Amino acid sequence: MASHSPVPRVHRVDCVVVGAGVVGAMITQQLARRGVRVVLIDRAPGIGGGCSYANAAIVAPHHVTPLATPALLREAPIQMLRRPPAVRMQPDPSILSWAGSLMASATPRRAHLAGERLSRLAAESTRLHCLLADEGLSPTLRKTGAIDVYLRSPRRRRADLLSFERLQAIEPALAPVAAGAHHTEEWTLESRSFVKAMLDDASRRGADVFFGMSAEQLLTEHGRVVGVAAEGTTLLADHVILAAGLGSATLAAQVGLNLPLRGGRGYVIDVAAGDHAPAMPVRIKEHRVVVTPLADRVRVCGSIEFGDERRPMDPGRAEALKTVAARVLPGLERAAVIDRWAGERPCTPDGVPVIGRSKAVENLSVAAGHGMWGMVLAPVTARMITEAIVDDVEPAEDAWLSPDRYDGRPARHHRALSPT
Ligand SMILES: Cc1cc2nc3c(=O)[nH]c(=O)nc-3n(C[C@H](O)[C@H](O)[C@H](O)COP(=O)(O)OP(=O)(O)OC[C@H]3O[C@@H](n4cnc5c(N)ncnc54)[C@H](O)[C@@H]3O)c2cc1C
């Protein structure tokens, strides 16, 4: 699949994709499928250098909502006080101003509009996920359904809430809870195997994939992007696509494009599979903790923390999630831990992703900032990017996702294409 051998010092292709997370891998596969000569580079030594290393592995189209909602404003203070806190915010000035923009975006009208649009994208993306699986290209996609549980009875009465007895008949691994709901239209998909499947298919179709190669500089000529300088190699291309998660912001800034991405840190703790594994994902709603059964492990994850992305991971935060999960799935208590990890969800201050071709910087597209929903939205993102580049199709209704919406301006100091 991926190559570690050196690329020629100057390489000319149609497109360069930067970043081999779920989003970049999916874009590369789609471009290769359309006959585009594409090179994908990632600075990490292998798959999983960013947020796609691990996640809750859930494709749940009905749960896809923007990050900025009135509910977030209402619930964040309560979530911050929970033990363990499900939401955290470091009192760092740069984070506080970013959080201010997030809050300003959380008006009912904006949240409603963004929610409707994201729901449509998520539904379409899920359909594309299923098509990939039907073609045999996404071997780990499984329709499992999922259960939401409440430790205390929710104050609002809801028609979909089930008693513990009904829930336990659906998921026998559950310990007593106050109530819950069963959702049938949900799938699980492990992100690293998904990335590998997309890269394998892209490589079969002629794409070149290079790990251990960092994009250092976007190259420009007369104000338009003409390639990427990457560790002694010049990749010349008609189009460059930034799908580098949080790393997209630094590269975009080189050409004057402002992408105010910040990391929303989530924690993951994986335990070995066994009799304790539930048959389907279980979400513990009060704590925002998710337990997902995967082929060889049970994954527990949760929390969203904003702060300096360079701060070290706190393993105690991962353990605390396992303790919460064991209240609902007691078998997890003694299960052997096989991995602990923290990842930065690439988040935007208006809570919706950045997907599309820049009009301010020619030959540059961005696919980043997918926050909590990168895996669900990867196929539809890839289709939008591919259609814009290959077919020159950009529906007007996609403008709300534009990379130029944060005051993107062409840079005054581009680095010109250096002679090689
Ligand atoms: C705890 C947790 C649970 C989650 N659960 C879900 C879920 O259930 N469903 C869902 O849909 N989403 C979920 N998400 C979100 C999802 O994982 C992310 O939205 C998604 O992984 C983002 O993918 P990406 O490809 O945009 O970025 P990334 O996966 O971060 O990939 C970016 C890549 O770019 C590379 N890169 C960066 N800079 C450079 C550079 N200069 N040169 C070369 N390469 C570079 C990095 O090495 C990395 O590999 C969850 C996230 C977390 C943390």
Side-chain angles (χ1 to χ4, degrees):
M1 173 258 304
S3 169
H4 293 265
S5 58
V7 276
R9 237 164 67 76
V10 183
H11 206 66
R12 174 155 262 303
V13 285
D14 298 329
C15 285
V16 173
V17 178
V18 182
V22 287
V23 173
M26 185 76 247
I27 292 171
T28 306
Q29 190 265 358
Q30 287 287 302
L31 287 171
R33 193 170 191 152
R34 295 291 306 273
V36 173
R37 283 181 310 144
V38 54
V39 168
L40 169 66
I41 60 171
D42 195 293
R43 66 183 172 196
I47 289 173
C51 191
S52 307
Y53 176 81
N55 54 37
I58 296 179
V59 174
H62 302 300
H63 287 261
V64 174
T65 51
L67 181 59
T69 60
L72 173 85
L73 300 189
R74 250 189 341 266
E75 289 169 22
I78 304 167
Q79 296 296 345
M80 283 179 183
L81 294 174
R82 269 196 202 292
R83 288 288 160 262
V87 177
R88 277 188 181 191
M89 185 84 63
Q90 265 191 345
D92 168 279
S94 76
I95 275 294
L96 293 179
S97 70
W98 184 92
S101 306
L102 185 74
M103 285 179 201
S105 300
T107 63
R109 188 169 173 279
R110 278 188 185 194
H112 178 72
L113 264 179
E116 274 192 339
R117 289 158 160 176
L118 276 183
S119 292
R120 274 203 298 276
L121 287 185
E124 177 59 7
S125 209
T126 303
R127 192 183 71 80
L128 298 174
H129 267 300
C130 293
L131 283 180
L132 285 169
D134 290 347
E135 288 179 69
L137 294 176
S138 184
T140 61
L141 186 78
R142 286 174 57 222
K143 190 170 186 184
T144 53
I147 284 185
D148 288 345
V149 299
Y150 296 88
L151 301 176
R152 274 188 236 109
S153 293
R155 261 188 255 144
R156 241 180 347 119
R157 285 168 66 87
R158 279 172 29 192
D160 63 337
L161 286 186
L162 304 175
S163 66
F164 168 61
E165 289 70 26
R166 297 270 306 278
L167 291 170
Q168 205 190 27
I170 299 165
E171 177 50 77
L174 280 182
V177 291
H182 180 211
H183 304 275
T184 52
E185 294 303 296
E186 296 200 18
W187 290 255
T188 58
L189 179 62
E190 198 280 309
S191 50
R192 270 173 284 166
S193 58
F194 176 69
V195 169
K196 181 173 183 313
M198 290 307 109
L199 297 188
D200 284 346
D201 191 57
S203 300
R204 274 195 297 273
R205 295 171 193 270
D208 284 319
V209 179
F210 297 106
F211 283 103
M213 184 180 274
S214 181
E216 292 160 335
Q217 181 73 43
L218 291 181
L219 301 171
T220 60
E221 210 171 52
H222 309 303
R224 47 160 68 168
V225 171
V226 293
V228 178
E231 307 199 5
T233 296
T234 300
L235 298 165
L236 297 174
D238 297 335
H239 210 93
V240 173
I241 299 127
L242 297 182
L246 278 188
S248 307
T250 316
L251 291 165
Q254 293 172 355
V255 290
L257 201 62
N258 176 27
L259 292 181
L261 299 173
R262 294 304 301 241
R265 181 174 291 187
Y267 279 89
V268 170
I269 182 162
D270 285 347
V271 300
D275 295 344
H276 49 268
M280 65 187 74
V282 175
R283 287 181 287 253
I284 305 163
K285 293 301 281 182
E286 288 97 335
H287 291 275
R288 303 285 186 269
V289 169
V290 186
V291 182
T292 308
L294 296 170
D296 62 338
R297 62 193 62 207
V298 179
R299 176 162 297 160
V300 182
C301 59
S303 95
I304 186 157
E305 304 183 355
F306 293 96
D308 182 342
E309 288 85 356
R310 293 161 304 180
R311 70 197 185 283
M313 165 199 179
D314 173 358
R317 303 274 298 119
E319 293 294 337
L321 297 177
K322 180 167 166 261
T323 305
V324 170
R327 285 165 68 180
V328 171
L329 295 160
L332 295 178
E333 181 85 59
R334 289 169 193 281
V337 174
I338 53 178
D339 201 4
R340 291 182 192 81
W341 180 80
E344 305 287 343
R345 300 174 183 92
C347 295
T348 60
D350 49 12
V352 293
V354 179
I355 307 171
R357 210 158 41 161
S358 169
K359 294 200 168 37
V361 184
E362 226 178 302
N363 301 341
L364 185 73
S365 289
V366 181
H370 290 67
M372 300 179 292
W373 309 116
M375 210 169 53
V376 180
L377 296 175
V380 80
T381 301
R383 195 179 67 187
M384 288 160 76
I385 295 286
T386 303
E387 287 181 351
I389 293 173
V390 180
D391 303 324
D392 206 13
V393 170
E394 266 171 292
E397 65 265 25
D398 293 349
W400 62 291
L401 301 167
S402 165
D404 304 322
R405 67 183 190 264
Y406 308 107
D407 182 30
R409 285 156 303 173
R412 266 176 252 136
H413 304 292
H414 293 189
R415 188 183 121 177
L417 173 62
S418 47
T420 47

